């Protein structure tokens, strides 16, 4: 019995109770899905801010359709430009989070905008986007696509992504977001 009492006393003496002291610990956001996530904080202080898409913008797309003999997104001789359709989904998903209404006759050098019908929270994961010319001559002319992780590249309420389809001047997609906690 003395042996157990000695062991118990030594165990209690060696146990230290860690006291939390906010003055000596750094608080911040510990949620990986937040724009202001930090892995160097000591505790969650409820300061997390999340990005919610409010608007989609295609600020440039290639003027020439390299996939067409006519090198045009629309009927040659009409002066018409692409009728843009934008789709966004989680990477490797079959369901689209956003499928835009078609914006008719959009100039390749002028920004095209779609308001987000639902402001969904962006997560720290990979997304894919696709841009098409959706017109009377061909309803699925592929223009460009790309993938991105919004949390890694968000800055000043914008997420700018460049397409990966040639030519060198790739399509530019900008996601405008608002912050909320």
């Amino acid at each position: 019995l003395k042996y157990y009492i000695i062991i118990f006393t030594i165990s209690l003496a060696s146990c230290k109770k860690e006291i939390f002291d906010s003055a000596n610990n750094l608080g911040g956001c510990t949620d990986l899905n937040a724009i202001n996530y930090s892995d160097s904080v000591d505790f969650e202080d409820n300061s997390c801010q999340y990005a919610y898409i409010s608007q989609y913008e295609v600020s440039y797309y290639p003027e020439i359709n390299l996939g067409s003999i006519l090198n045009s997104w629309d009927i040659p001789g009409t002066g018409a430009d692409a009728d843009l359709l934008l789709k966004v989904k989680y990477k490797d998903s079959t369901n689209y989070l956003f499928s835009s209404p078609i914006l008719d006759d959009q100039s390749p050098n002028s920004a095209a905008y779609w308001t987000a019908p639902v402001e969904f929270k962006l997560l720290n994961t990979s997304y894919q986007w696709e841009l098409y010319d959706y017109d009377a001559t061909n309803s699925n002319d592929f223009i460009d696509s790309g993938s991105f992780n919004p949390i890694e590249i968000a800055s000043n309420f914008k997420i700018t992504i460049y397409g990966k389809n040639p030519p060198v001047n790739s399509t530019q997609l900008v996601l405008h977001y608002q912050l909320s906690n």
Side-chain angles (χ1 to χ4, degrees):
L1 183 64
K2 286 183 184 180
Y3 174 75
Y4 289 113
I5 293 172
I6 292 171
I7 297 295
F8 182 71
T9 305
I10 292 172
S11 295
L12 283 177
S14 65
C15 290
K16 258 201 256 180
K17 184 176 182 184
E18 191 166 315
I19 299 172
F20 177 75
D21 178 10
S22 62
N24 294 322
N25 291 298
L26 180 61
C29 178
T30 60
D31 186 347
L32 291 170
N33 290 314
I35 293 290
N36 61 331
Y37 163 76
S38 176
D39 62 355
S40 63
V41 300
D42 297 319
F43 68 96
E44 172 64 51
D45 67 358
N46 297 319
S47 66
C48 293
Q49 293 284 302
Y50 300 96
Y52 290 84
I53 292 182
S54 58
Q55 188 176 58
Y56 302 85
E57 171 189 350
V58 171
S59 57
Y60 173 80
Y61 70 88
E63 191 168 359
I64 297 173
N65 179 359
L66 296 176
S68 169
I69 297 170
L70 305 172
N71 286 338
S72 173
W73 293 114
D74 246 318
I75 302 167
T78 64
D81 289 313
D83 301 325
L84 298 180
L85 170 66
L86 175 65
K87 296 181 176 189
V88 179
K89 64 182 181 175
Y90 292 116
K91 189 172 183 180
D92 300 325
S93 174
T94 56
N95 298 324
Y96 289 97
L97 300 166
F98 177 73
S99 185
S100 74
I102 296 164
L103 292 180
D104 292 329
D105 200 24
Q106 296 297 303
S107 169
N109 296 309
S110 296
Y113 296 96
W114 296 272
T115 300
V118 174
E119 293 183 358
F120 69 88
K121 180 167 74 170
L122 293 168
L123 304 175
N124 187 12
T125 189
S126 293
Y127 293 83
Q128 290 178 285
W129 63 274
E130 302 160 356
L131 185 66
Y132 297 92
D133 174 29
Y134 197 93
D135 57 29
T137 59
N138 191 352
S139 64
N140 62 350
D141 284 338
F142 173 76
I143 295 176
D144 212 337
S145 67
S147 60
F148 63 97
N149 182 323
I151 305 305
E152 294 174 354
I153 59 175
S155 177
N156 297 321
F157 302 97
K158 291 183 181 179
I159 299 163
T160 303
I161 311 124
Y162 297 94
K164 60 183 180 181
N165 198 34
V168 176
N169 296 328
S170 296
T171 303
Q172 183 175 341
L173 172 65
V174 180
L175 305 177
H176 299 267
Y177 65 87
Q178 296 177 351
L179 290 177
S180 185
N181 43 0

